[in-house]
Amino acid sequence: MLKIPSHQVAGHHASNGTRGPLVDDSGRFYKPLKGDERGSSEVTSYKQLSSNAKVPDHICTFFPIYYGTKVMNASDGSEHPHIVLEDLTSNRENPTIMDVKIGSRTWGLEASDEYIAKCLKRDRETTSVQLGFRISGLQIYINEEVGFYKPARDLVLKSSLDDVRLLFKKFVSSGPFEETVLGPDRGWASLVYGGPNGILAQLLELKAWFEDQTIYHFCACSLLFMFEKELALEGGSPNAQVKIIDFVHVTEGRGVIDHNFLGGLCSLIKFISEVVGDHEDHITQDGDAQ
Amino acid sequence: MLKIPSHQVAGHHASNGTRGPLVDDSGRFYKPLKGDERGSSEVTSYKQLSSNAKVPDHICTFFPIYYGTKVMNASDGSEHPHIVLEDLTSNRENPTIMDVKIGSRTWGLEASDEYIAKCLKRDRETTSVQLGFRISGLQIYINEEVGFYKPARDLVLKSSLDDVRLLFKKFVSSGPFEETVLGPDRGWASLVYGGPNGILAQLLELKAWFEDQTIYHFCACSLLFMFEKELALEGGSPNAQVKIIDFVHVTEGRGVIDHNFLGGLCSLIKFISEVVGDHEDHITQDGDAQ
């Protein structure tokens, strides 16, 4: 029972006549392999990352599980090889999701001049050069009545510095973005971003590894943030999770740290810390005012 | 008594008929102001950095002292405005010096397409894109007989990844680079790079600030490493010091951390840690062999 993923927020989409990712009922995600060397490079990266003993266990949990490759009926009806991965949202109801492409540079050292020019243009037009990352896509679950807020890809990519700040606040807003003087209420900031299992703690764990590891460079990869508002409403943990995805441009580190990923990651950590900090200041101010 | 600096390892040099930096006997360094907006931008940066109360004192010590500007006889004989700065080497005899330009990107967001293309070409041809920094120049004091090892600028800029590793070892070599199986002996690594006042400790102090500060972006700036071998030979501290120089392209941070500088700085820290670590392993191995 293959179907088009419900919760994909960035990347190529499948539709009738267009080849794109598929999911099944058993929690697997099928991503069509690119025909050129990018396809084989992606397979190599997933294979290596899932089997390299030098990558510590607590870091491996940031990668989607890799199940191999499979030639199968693609979404456009053709026979085509796919990478088989863990479907990261299969166990989630109405997940709120954000895809953040990390790095101020999304082209690799060995890329052609033409490819570099194309990436550089995109990196300059989006926030990548300025912030060291860009939001590639997101969906925010509002409630049963309204469903999801899922802005169009082009709109998301046009985000300015201030738009990005706002999106990080909206991402953890508890209602349909009723704005206070200080912006969206950020009701879930402490639970989702903060705390020992929050997104910030997971990013700091990644940071510590990236400060030291010189095995791989994660060029043009994304961090995926996910959580479930409804779990939090029921008084449980929102199950906030960070994953690294899109390994097409993962390369060997040759003894050098991935300063491009690390720089962007530190910038992202600073942004999210400020949303948590502002929110806590906000709570304190309200408390004082009572 | 103005003269051409003896210990300049990178940047424009003064000579008869060419305008370049000068020093005097009182410990001041006179840098000719660029005529276009870069000149005024550099003055603004030095002024702001030396007076901004938000920059903590222990960080201000990384900047050369700024004394203002002065119209004076330039090295080419013309009347020209100069920035007046602290001469960082005036109190040092035979300093060993390295100039490391930080950042995988040396162009700013507002630069013209032409300027970006020029910088990008240089960043790709040198180690900047790959390592997040490049060595722009160096001089290593060998001894009274030999004097300095000071490779030509073009040669330094052509350094590969392995050349950079070797230069960081040569920089702290105790002799005229007698090579062991493991490369130059790195006799001063622990004293110069390591220890509570070493270069590594100073870089980590900078790193902590750059992880948090969003006031300035230090685009195309250099870190200058300096120490005196002779002081160490006499049994004292080698007086290892790190300074940040070249503020032409310092811009406002607009609430974003300088991920480009931070990434390069982390990469540099990793390189230097490995020289210290390898050296200590080396000593331990020798010890075991006895």
Side-chain angles (χ1 to χ4, degrees):
Chain A
M1 279 293 296
L2 292 166
K3 57 181 185 184
I4 292 171
S6 322
H7 302 305
Q8 204 188 328
V9 299
H12 297 285
H13 286 264
S15 64
N16 288 339
T18 309
R19 202 184 287 152
L22 296 169
V23 291
D24 68 12
D25 293 336
S26 75
R28 300 200 172 192
F29 182 90
Y30 301 88
K31 188 179 176 185
L33 258 188
K34 286 184 171 40
D36 51 20
E37 72 281 356
R38 286 178 296 171
S40 55
S41 152
E42 191 171 11
V43 171
T44 307
S45 301
Y46 275 107
K47 266 189 198 161
Q48 289 189 352
L49 281 166
S50 59
S51 65
N52 190 335
K54 287 184 186 162
V55 180
D57 289 347
H58 74 281
I59 296 300
C60 287
T61 61
F62 285 102
F63 309 141
I65 299 167
Y66 170 69
Y67 294 108
T69 59
K70 189 181 179 184
V71 176
M72 51 184 267
N73 242 332
S75 54
D76 63 353
S78 68
E79 283 278 296
H80 194 85
H82 289 64
I83 294 193
V84 189
L85 299 168
E86 175 189 8
D87 176 7
L88 297 171
T89 61
S90 69
N91 292 320
R92 291 181 182 269
E93 295 252 356
N94 303 321
T96 290
I97 305 178
M98 188 185 276
D99 180 306
V100 187
K101 195 186 273 282
I102 305 294
S104 63
R105 167 173 60 79
T106 58
W107 47 272
L109 291 173
E110 313 296 335
S112 68
D113 287 356
E114 195 188 340
Y115 187 77
I116 292 176
K118 190 183 133 191
C119 291
L120 181 63
K121 185 168 181 285
R122 175 59 68 97
D123 296 344
R124 287 175 67 196
E125 284 169 355
T126 62
T127 62
S128 291
V129 171
Q130 187 182 14
L131 305 188
F133 64 83
R134 64 176 177 248
I135 299 180
S136 293
L138 76 157
Q139 66 175 29
I140 300 175
Y141 183 68
I142 307 292
N143 55 37
E144 211 181 328
E145 196 189 338
V146 180
F148 287 94
Y149 166 69
K150 191 170 181 171
R153 175 185 159 85
D154 285 353
L155 199 68
V156 174
L157 289 176
K158 275 183 192 146
S159 298
S160 68
L161 167 54
D162 288 335
D163 295 335
V164 168
R165 282 207 180 95
L166 191 59
L167 284 175
F168 282 128
K169 290 175 184 171
K170 285 185 172 174
F171 190 67
V172 291
S173 173
S174 64
F177 312 147
E178 289 111 359
E179 305 240 345
T180 66
V181 186
L182 296 173
D185 72 0
R186 289 159 275 173
W188 302 117
S190 311
L191 266 180
V192 172
Y193 291 147
N197 302 312
I199 283 174
L200 210 44
Q202 295 177 55
L203 294 179
L204 288 169
E205 215 174 328
L206 272 181
K207 177 183 172 231
W209 187 59
F210 271 93
E211 283 175 339
D212 190 55
Q213 75 90 11
T214 61
I215 323 171
Y216 299 114
H217 284 194
F218 292 78
C219 189
C221 291
S222 282
L223 290 177
L224 204 66
F225 298 165
M226 294 169 290
F227 76 96
E228 284 163 90
K229 226 172 242 189
E230 286 164 320
L231 293 177
L233 282 171
E234 291 159 8
S237 151
N239 195 11
Q241 217 176 17
V242 176
K243 295 279 179 180
I244 312 184
I245 59 168
D246 291 343
F247 294 169
V248 180
H249 300 286
V250 170
T251 56
E252 299 205 354
R254 297 183 57 205
V256 180
I257 66 163
D258 188 351
H259 49 88
N260 181 55
F261 192 101
L262 178 60
L265 179 58
C266 290
S267 176
L268 180 61
I269 286 171
K270 179 71 178 173
F271 265 75
I272 294 182
S273 306
E274 282 180 352
V275 175
V276 178
D278 283 1
H279 175 63
E280 280 162 4
D281 287 352
H282 185 180
I283 292 173
T284 313
Q285 282 164 22
D286 289 353
D288 287 351
Q290 282 171 2
Chain B
M1 279 294 296
L2 293 166
K3 56 182 184 184
I4 293 171
S6 321
H7 302 306
Q8 204 188 328
V9 299
H12 297 285
H13 285 264
S15 64
N16 286 339
T18 309
R19 202 185 288 154
L22 296 169
V23 291
D24 68 13
D25 292 336
S26 75
R28 300 200 173 192
F29 182 89
Y30 301 87
K31 189 179 176 184
L33 259 188
K34 286 184 171 42
D36 51 20
E37 72 281 358
R38 288 178 295 172
S40 56
S41 151
E42 191 171 11
V43 171
T44 308
S45 301
Y46 275 108
K47 266 189 199 163
Q48 289 188 352
L49 280 165
S50 60
S51 65
N52 189 335
K54 287 183 184 161
V55 179
D57 289 348
H58 73 281
I59 295 301
C60 287
T61 60
F62 285 102
F63 309 141
I65 299 168
Y66 170 70
Y67 293 109
T69 58
K70 188 179 178 184
V71 177
M72 51 185 265
N73 241 332
S75 53
D76 64 353
S78 67
E79 283 277 296
H80 193 83
H82 289 65
I83 294 191
V84 188
L85 299 168
E86 175 189 8
D87 176 6
L88 297 171
T89 61
S90 68
N91 292 320
R92 292 181 180 271
E93 294 253 356
N94 303 319
T96 290
I97 306 179
M98 187 185 280
D99 179 305
V100 187
K101 195 185 273 280
I102 305 294
S104 63
R105 168 173 60 78
T106 58
W107 47 273
L109 291 173
E110 314 297 336
S112 68
D113 287 356
E114 195 189 340
Y115 186 77
I116 291 177
K118 190 184 134 191
C119 291
L120 181 62
K121 184 168 183 288
R122 173 60 67 96
D123 295 343
R124 288 175 66 197
E125 284 170 354
T126 62
T127 63
S128 292
V129 171
Q130 188 181 13
L131 305 188
F133 64 84
R134 65 176 176 249
I135 299 179
S136 294
L138 75 158
Q139 67 175 29
I140 300 174
Y141 183 69
I142 307 293
N143 55 38
E144 211 182 328
E145 197 188 336
V146 180
F148 288 94
Y149 166 69
K150 191 170 182 171
R153 173 185 159 86
D154 286 353
L155 199 69
V156 175
L157 288 177
K158 274 184 191 145
S159 298
S160 68
L161 167 54
D162 289 334
D163 294 336
V164 168
R165 282 207 180 95
L166 191 59
L167 284 176
F168 282 129
K169 290 175 184 171
K170 284 186 172 173
F171 190 66
V172 291
S173 173
S174 64
F177 313 147
E178 289 108 359
E179 306 240 344
T180 67
V181 185
L182 297 173
D185 72 0
R186 289 159 277 171
W188 302 119
S190 311
L191 266 180
V192 173
Y193 292 146
N197 302 312
I199 283 175
L200 210 44
Q202 294 177 56
L203 294 179
L204 288 170
E205 215 174 329
L206 271 182
K207 176 181 171 235
W209 187 60
F210 272 93
E211 283 175 338
D212 190 55
Q213 75 89 10
T214 60
I215 323 172
Y216 298 113
H217 284 195
F218 293 78
C219 189
C221 292
S222 282
L223 289 176
L224 203 66
F225 298 166
M226 294 168 290
F227 75 97
E228 282 163 273
K229 225 172 244 189
E230 287 165 318
L231 292 178
L233 282 170
E234 291 160 8
S237 150
N239 195 10
Q241 217 176 16
V242 176
K243 294 280 180 179
I244 311 183
I245 59 168
D246 290 343
F247 294 169
V248 180
H249 300 285
V250 170
T251 55
E252 300 206 353
R254 298 182 57 205
V256 180
I257 66 164
D258 189 350
H259 50 87
N260 181 55
F261 192 101
L262 178 60
L265 179 59
C266 289
S267 176
L268 180 62
I269 286 171
K270 178 71 178 173
F271 265 75
I272 292 181
S273 304
E274 282 178 353
V275 174
V276 178
D278 283 3
H279 176 64
E280 279 162 3
D281 288 352
H282 185 182
I283 292 172
T284 313
Q285 282 164 23
D286 288 354
D288 287 350
Q290 281 172 2

